[in-house]
Amino acid sequence: IDETAQFIHSLEANHMVSAGSEGTVGTLRSEEYYLRAFQTPHIDYLNLHLWPLNWGWFNPVTWESTLPQTEINAVEYFNRHMALARTLGKPIVMDEFGLGRDGGRFHPGTSTRARDRYLLLICTVLEDSARAGAPLAGSNFWAWGGEGTAQHPDGMWQRGDPFVGDPPQEPQGRNSVFISDTSTIRILRSHAKAMLMLGAASPSTPSGFVR
């Protein structure tokens, strides 16, 4: 990591470089390994992801019973990584967070009640943390699907299909936000505005970041 980050900076000194990590889930759940991955001075910022479905916290079929603990786990995971960022004195970006559609469905127009509740919570935590001066430097939801849609009954991508936000090894539309998901879009639009306003009000924010 140190050598690669140093090489990138040798090519473009102003380029922002990170290690690329889901957080401690991506470092054998070891905080020591996570900190070692980011401690080099050639790494500019930390990052983390939140994937409750992939990590076994959340079941979209029984979302009413699994979402409450998912929310607790997500906030705890986020807060712990804010503390790790403070330890290294670097900003941190939540660069992937999302949730599947109700019932595990993947087509536009299907229910997103669990997703909307979850995203509203995460966006609120992100905004409150940034407002309180946490080292949070930005966030990216996963992912914009626009007018895309799965082309096959199993939802899996095949060569020649249009792309949505989901990788080809997952059902197309599982985590995508479609243009028809108006309730989800309202939450994300409000979050984007809040983060932009916080960034504008923080002249000390490092260049390239929106706090």
Side-chain angles (χ1 to χ4, degrees):
I1 291 172
D2 178 75
E3 291 177 356
T4 302
Q6 186 174 9
F7 175 69
I8 294 170
H9 278 140
S10 74
L11 299 175
E12 211 292 81
N14 293 320
H15 198 87
M16 306 299 290
V17 181
S18 189
S21 176
E22 291 190 333
T24 56
V25 167
T27 54
L28 302 178
R29 302 188 183 276
S30 166
E31 293 185 0
E32 177 188 358
Y33 291 164
Y34 181 79
L35 290 172
R36 285 174 60 188
F38 288 93
Q39 68 185 5
T40 167
H42 302 295
I43 289 293
D44 300 296
Y45 66 98
L46 289 68
N47 54 331
L48 78 152
H49 302 173
L50 268 179
W51 287 115
L53 176 66
N54 305 55
W55 299 347
W57 298 350
F58 177 72
N59 186 331
V61 177
T62 57
W63 69 265
E64 292 94 338
S65 61
T66 58
L67 184 59
Q69 187 61 49
T70 293
E71 293 171 326
I72 293 171
N73 293 348
V75 173
E76 288 179 349
Y77 191 77
F78 173 84
N79 287 337
R80 187 58 202 149
H81 284 78
M82 293 301 106
L84 293 172
R86 290 189 184 94
T87 297
L88 293 183
K90 295 182 180 184
I92 186 168
V93 172
M94 171 96 85
D95 50 11
E96 287 185 22
F97 66 101
L99 200 71
R101 309 175 78 85
D102 297 351
R105 301 177 182 90
F106 46 82
H107 289 293
T110 53
S111 175
T112 58
R113 289 179 296 168
R115 171 189 290 176
D116 289 350
R117 174 174 145 180
Y118 173 78
L119 290 185
L120 181 60
L121 170 68
I122 298 303
C123 289
T124 300
V125 170
L126 288 165
E127 293 160 24
D128 289 347
S129 298
R131 193 174 291 112
L136 178 69
S139 60
N140 301 299
F141 77 92
W142 189 285
W144 179 243
E147 296 181 348
T149 185
Q151 302 295 300
H152 312 285
D154 62 359
M156 302 306 292
W157 185 85
Q158 297 181 20
R159 185 177 297 274
D161 290 348
F163 291 102
V164 294
D166 303 285
Q169 73 270 18
E170 296 181 352
Q172 302 296 280
R174 169 186 281 176
N175 297 301
S176 288
V177 177
F178 295 116
I179 198 168
S180 57
D181 294 332
T182 54
S183 58
T184 306
I185 291 171
R186 279 196 298 269
I187 294 168
L188 296 171
R189 181 181 288 119
S190 176
H191 174 62
K193 289 181 178 178
M195 295 296 278
L196 284 171
M197 290 177 65
L198 286 167
S202 301
S204 61
T205 299
S207 176
F209 288 112
V210 175
R211 170 168 290 172

